[in-house]
Amino acid sequence: MNRVTAAPVKGRDFNSWIDKRLPVLFVAPVVGILLTLAIGPLLFIFITSFMSWELVSAAAPQFIWFRNYLNIVLDSRFWNAMKNTLILLVGGVGLQLVLGLITALLLNREFKLKRVVTSLFLIPITIAPVVVGFQWRVIYHESFGPLNYIIRMLRLGNGFAWLADTRTALFSILVAEVWQWTPFVTIVLLAGLQSISPRVYEAANVDGATPWQVFRRVTLPLLKPTIIIVALFRVMDVFKIFDLVFLLTGGGPGTASESVSLYTYINGFRYFSMGYATALAVIQLLIVTIICMNLVKMMKVRRA
Amino acid sequence: MAMGVVVLQNVWKKYGDVEAVKNLNLECKEGEFLALLGPSGCGKSSTLRMIAGLERITLGSIFIDGREVNALEPRQRDIAMAFEAYALYPHLTAYENIAFPLRVRGMREQEVDRRVREIADTLDIGNILDRLPRHLSGGQQQRISFARAMVRPARVYLMDEPLSHLDAKQRSQLRSELKRLHRFKGLTIVFVTHDQIEAMAMADRIAVMNLGVLQQVGTPLEVFNHPKNLFVANFVGEPPINLLSVTVRQEGQDILFTGDGFMIAMRDGRLAAAAAKLSTSKGVLGIRPMHIALHRESVSPHSIPGNVTLYEGLGDTAVVTVQVGGNAVRVETSPDVSVSIGERVFLQFSAAHVHLFDQDTGENLLH
Amino acid sequence: MAEVVLKNVVKRYGELEAVSNVSFECRNGEFLVLLGPSGAGKTSTLKMIAGLEKITSGQVFIGGREVNGLEPRQRRVAMVFENYALYPHLSVFDNIASPLKAAGVAPGDIEARVKHVAKMLQIEQLLDRRPAHLSGGQQQRVSFGRALAKEADVYLMDEPLSHLDAKLRHETRGELKRLHGELGTSTIYVTHDFREALALADRVVVLDKGSIQQIGTPAEVYDQPANDFVADLIGEPPMNLIGCVATQLDGSLCFASDAFSLRVPSHAVDCVRGMTLPRQVRIGIRPTHITVELRPAGEDSVRAEVYVLEPLGALSILTVKLGADLVKIRVPEDFSAEIGDQVWLRFAEEKIRVFDAESGHRLV
Ligand SMILES: Nc1ncnc2c1ncn2[C@@H]1O[C@H](COP(=O)(O)OP(=O)(O)OP(=O)(O)O)[C@@H](O)[C@H]1O
Ligand SMILES: Nc1ncnc2c1ncn2[C@@H]1O[C@H](COP(=O)(O)OP(=O)(O)OP(=O)(O)O)[C@@H](O)[C@H]1O
Ligand SMILES: [Mg+2]
Ligand SMILES: [Mg+2]
């Protein structure tokens, strides 16, 4: 009797052992990879940011404590890059959210060809940023670009040097960024909208709420967690904006459209000031972290 | 002709191939309490949702206050509704849920607060007002949904089983509360329920539906005492009426009913007239469980013998099932009557309580 | 097959104690009903047994094994949910079949089992619809079917019949009772409907505000309610509770108030004699155990004034005013009286129960 039951009990023991440790087992590889690929380099960067390490000079790297950070604070080119980045951040993410919400609301209705239209929205997201950069470079081209062609055709003027003009360079980047990422915002918000129970809308309609009130008092609050998540993604992404800037203007003219990431890159790989570049990177990391923590906190407040 | 507040004219509802409501004609008058009663899936909610404007009307028209509302949005119809599945706003507290219809009308916060507190008091939910719906029990959610519907003035109140998750006490409390509101404020209410006791206790009139078709409209007592057909007789009344297939024969002044395992003779003018309307000699005899007396000895030659097969105590009453030939006859008795399974008993009832139905059409021949 | 034991189980949601120190046992093969008003903690208790809510403190045993740390699927229970919890993307058939598929039942058997319960619940013709295309009562039956089709040690049912009409509820109740008799699976059934509880239960656990008020057979909770709460919960209308004083008048024991004086019935004499008199009590009597006469009927009849008469079809409920209390009585449907009429009540002596006015506990 005992023997007969012994085996299954053992099997069950193993199962429950697995059950208890399953989460740990699942997470372990990720933690391992994170440790080697993320935390390791991060530590390296962190340490380097306290050093003077010029690859072009023969001098050995030197530990200089906070000197790099001090220099950054006093560096007006850094502040200029910061300003550009924030403009892109606020303008870009803001526009993406507003446009994304509007398109998501439109797509959430029933209409013919809904599937086709929704899939068309996926296209910009799937294109590599490099390709997007070149595509917009063509669009903005002063003499051959379709944009100026249209302007001339409509006799609105002679066209602009979109990317070479200090007044329009940053703005042009922003447009390209919004073009590429609004559809992503749309798709995520659409998923959020579809998870709201239709019963709630029925109730609101019966309760006498106008379409605007339904939007303000029901849709928006219920969509808020989704909005925050998608904003989070976009903020992190735009803050690091590099490829579009690099490809479209290279930060120019002058430093008119230089972003912090680009400035970091220039320091590291054009001036080869490793210490200064890594200090810039650390500052960016801190800022992104602070922004994200606040957004996550907003999400949690709603939960409680 | 004075028109009712809500009028349904030849209304149909189809969901694809499913015909949920078929050619419904119904009217709810000013200040009337109309109950829609019927088995699960008979089209009660569909009807209510069409009145509310939540479901497209496939065919026919609905009028509210004489105005055709087929094309109007729910919010333009001046209705309030308590939903079958509550449909509370998940992001709002119980208080905000109840206040919602008032706030969207731009009512002053002070007035909103007064009204919400007042209705919360009557429904005994004052202590849960600051909770989100997902932190409430089923019955509490249902009361919030009920409160949200009742808190504001509306031309018609539509309620879809608003009391189904409440205990007997609260239910009877809400029942009388609703009845009081209805009487004193002259509210017009269309009330969906599957609970005939609820319908009986509250409604001015009951509309009984089956398979999307209206079977009978009448006052509670009409529906109970003069059911128009087999379905209504069978549906209204708990435990349900006993239906026995019989052959009917006239023998002098007596009407003779012969069924599986029994034969009774009755002398009654009404019954005779009804029997004469039978197309064949076959009919269905209906007798309610509470109208049957149960004896342990044969008290008269007209009593029907049978064996007890089941005894269910329900507290204030008991239901005894007696096998008579191939028929299981339910008898409602006082719980003090003690019978044992298998015991032989005798059943007796008077002609005044008997219904006679046509076997084919199901029609009640006594009316 | 297994018994379920709860030992000092507590459930707290933040500050709120939804279940306080509850202990009871559902014996092997027993049909146990949890009865209580809205918010009593019935669903919370059931969810803790199922493993869907964390147990704040105390222990739950299923089949002798502590299950506090086990996942729901390891507890071998089947549950019917109060709000159905159907899979919206699956057909009715697949909804009912899903626990069977998860358990690796052969496809042929799945089909047979699903068809069987669908027939029992009268939803055969709905098997390929999606839940969104069903009426409320139909959805509830699907949820019920999904639990019944599954093979489990314990069935947990949270108000599975609340959305069904009387006839269907009657039939389903009968089927359920038959099924339980056949399979003998331990079942814990939550309801707020005392009729359902009395008709189905082997034993009833009465809950209020998270605490157990009484555990007993249907006959016990009906006939000998442990306190005024239980008396008030069971019966429609529930037991009448009439405030009065137990005292000694002219050498004989009686219950007296401004409105009446009633000889203490023989089964209560010993108890009343043991009290310090006079003492505030409430006497309880069911609406069926009072007879109404239109003229004085003997010295132990009590005079009252008609308050309202509600006809309910098969019978009527007469409410009379007796001193400060309203007393409800079941009367035959042909009874007639006008508001304000005088009537005389006669209580069935042996059915009188006595409750302490303060604590509410039953004394007799
Ligand atoms: N959206 C839908 N699509 C397809 N069929 C539906 C839909 N809604 C309801 N039905 C069907 O229409 C019929 C009537 O449904 P309805 O909801 O009106 O019933 P009900 O009388 O309210 O029943 P219950 O008492 O069970 O809630 C049912 O057979 C149901 O399956
Ligand atoms: N997730 C939750 N968070 C906070 N409080 C809760 C939660 N779930 C239930 N409660 C509260 O706990 C108490 C008991 O709830 P429970 O759902 O167990 O009641 P119930 O007896 O099933 O009532 P009903 O018959 O209304 O369904 C209630 O006061 C309820 O508001
Ligand atoms: Mg319904
Ligand atoms: Mg519950």
Side-chain angles (χ1 to χ4, degrees), chain B residues 40 161 165-166 194 290 316, chain C residues 141 159 163-164 192 222 314:
Chain B
S40 175
E161 308 194 6
H165 274 288
L166 305 184
H194 55 250
M290 74 286 268
D316 303 320
Chain C
R141 278 176 279 164
E159 307 192 11
H163 273 289
L164 305 186
H192 54 250
Y222 179 78

Side-chain angles (χ1 to χ4, degrees), chain B residues 86 127-128 131-143 165-167 170, chain C residues 11-19 34-48 53 82 158-159 190-192 207 209-210:
Chain B
Y86 319 148
N127 54 336
I128 51 169
R131 293 210 215 146
L132 289 176
R134 67 167 168 278
H135 294 158
L136 294 175
S137 79
Q140 288 166 338
Q141 289 182 34
Q142 190 161 43
R143 275 176 286 165
H165 274 288
L166 305 184
D167 53 277
Q170 268 168 358
Chain C
K11 174 75 205 175
R12 260 186 235 112
Y13 298 105
E15 301 268 281
L16 180 97
E17 194 161 284
V19 176
L34 294 184
L35 176 68
S38 176
K42 309 180 292 291
T43 301
S44 305
T45 307
L46 211 62
K47 281 190 167 168
M48 285 190 284
E53 286 283 2
E82 192 173 8
D158 198 352
E159 307 192 11
V190 162
T191 181
H192 54 250
L207 273 178
K209 302 204 182 87

Side-chain angles (χ1 to χ4, degrees), chain C residues 348-364:
Chain C
E349 276 206 342
E350 71 288 355
K351 297 294 184 187
I352 293 178
R353 303 286 174 264
V354 184
F355 299 89
D356 188 83
E358 256 163 54
S359 69
H361 289 305
R362 181 167 52 86
L363 304 169
V364 178

Side-chain angles (χ1 to χ4, degrees), chain A residues 10 18 67 86 91 123 126 159 188 203 221 241 246 289 291 303:
Chain A
K10 230 179 200 163
I18 287 276
R67 192 87 51 76
L86 286 182
I123 294 176
T126 54
V188 176
I241 191 164
F246 186 80
T289 312
I291 297 176
R303 285 255 156 130

Side-chain angles (χ1 to χ4, degrees), chain C residues 12-311:
Chain C
R12 260 186 235 112
Y13 298 105
E15 301 268 281
L16 180 97
E17 194 161 284
V19 176
S20 342
N21 200 14
V22 159
S23 304
F24 65 79
E25 180 189 3
C26 173
R27 300 179 192 132
N28 199 349
E30 188 173 35
F31 201 113
L32 191 76
V33 172
L34 294 184
L35 176 68
S38 176
K42 309 180 292 291
T43 301
S44 305
T45 307
L46 211 62
K47 281 190 167 168
M48 285 190 284
I49 300 173
L52 298 168
E53 286 283 2
K54 256 226 167 73
I55 300 163
T56 309
S57 75
Q59 291 165 297
V60 175
F61 299 87
I62 299 178
R65 160 175 82 136
E66 194 196 282
V67 296
N68 285 35
L70 295 189
E71 291 292 313
R73 73 190 151 77
Q74 299 168 316
R75 299 189 182 193
R76 295 193 40 81
V77 296
M79 178 151 176
V80 191
F81 292 87
E82 192 173 8
N83 54 4
Y84 320 149
L86 299 176
Y87 305 113
H89 58 291
L90 296 182
S91 68
V92 169
F93 183 97
D94 289 333
N95 260 287
I96 300 178
S98 65
L100 300 175
K101 282 185 185 153
V105 177
D109 292 348
I110 291 184
E111 171 122 13
R113 288 248 284 271
V114 172
K115 290 264 161 70
H116 179 73
V117 297
K119 183 141 184 276
M120 173 178 148
L121 297 168
Q122 305 179 20
I123 47 175
E124 309 110 293
Q125 75 287 8
L126 304 175
L127 285 176
D128 32 282
R129 289 217 210 142
R130 293 275 174 92
H133 296 169
L134 298 177
S135 78
Q138 289 165 342
Q139 290 181 27
Q140 187 163 44
R141 278 176 279 164
V142 176
S143 157
F144 198 13
R146 182 175 59 184
L148 287 182
K150 183 176 170 185
E151 211 160 85
D153 290 345
V154 182
Y155 287 131
L156 305 173
M157 308 184 171
D158 198 352
E159 307 192 11
L161 308 180
S162 61
H163 273 289
L164 305 186
D165 55 273
K167 188 153 171 283
L168 195 57
R169 195 158 46 195
H170 231 87
E171 285 164 15
T172 316
R173 208 160 76 187
E175 285 291 324
L176 182 60
K177 198 156 186 181
R178 199 182 50 73
L179 194 75
H180 179 254
E182 234 168 58
L183 300 176
T185 311
S186 314
T187 305
I188 303 182
Y189 184 105
V190 162
T191 181
H192 54 250
D193 180 350
F194 73 91
R195 279 197 204 86
E196 226 161 85
L198 297 185
L200 284 169
D202 293 325
R203 285 189 308 149
V204 181
V205 176
V206 183
L207 273 178
D208 181 40
K209 302 204 182 87
S211 316
I212 292 181
Q213 303 295 318
Q214 184 171 8
I215 304 181
T217 62
E220 278 164 12
V221 291
Y222 179 78
D223 205 42
Q224 289 146 38
N227 53 34
D228 53 358
F229 175 82
V230 180
D232 200 32
L233 185 69
I234 294 172
E236 187 161 5
M239 188 180 261
N240 293 299
L241 295 168
I242 308 164
C244 57
V245 242
T247 183
Q248 191 141 22
L249 268 185
D250 310 332
S252 66
L253 294 170
C254 67
F255 297 119
S257 80
D258 297 346
F260 67 92
S261 146
L262 200 69
R263 195 154 46 82
V264 171
S266 50
H267 67 282
V269 165
D270 284 347
C271 172
V272 172
R273 199 159 274 147
M275 300 173 184
T276 45
L277 297 177
R279 174 166 174 175
Q280 284 288 336
V281 295
R282 297 215 280 167
I283 56 175
I285 180 101
R286 297 243 170 234
T288 27
H289 296 142
I290 306 176
T291 43
V292 184
E293 321 254 348
L294 294 174
R295 48 189 62 80
E299 58 181 272
D300 53 347
S301 71
V302 171
R303 197 179 61 169
E305 186 188 302
V306 173
Y307 188 73
V308 69
L309 178 68
E310 301 168 88

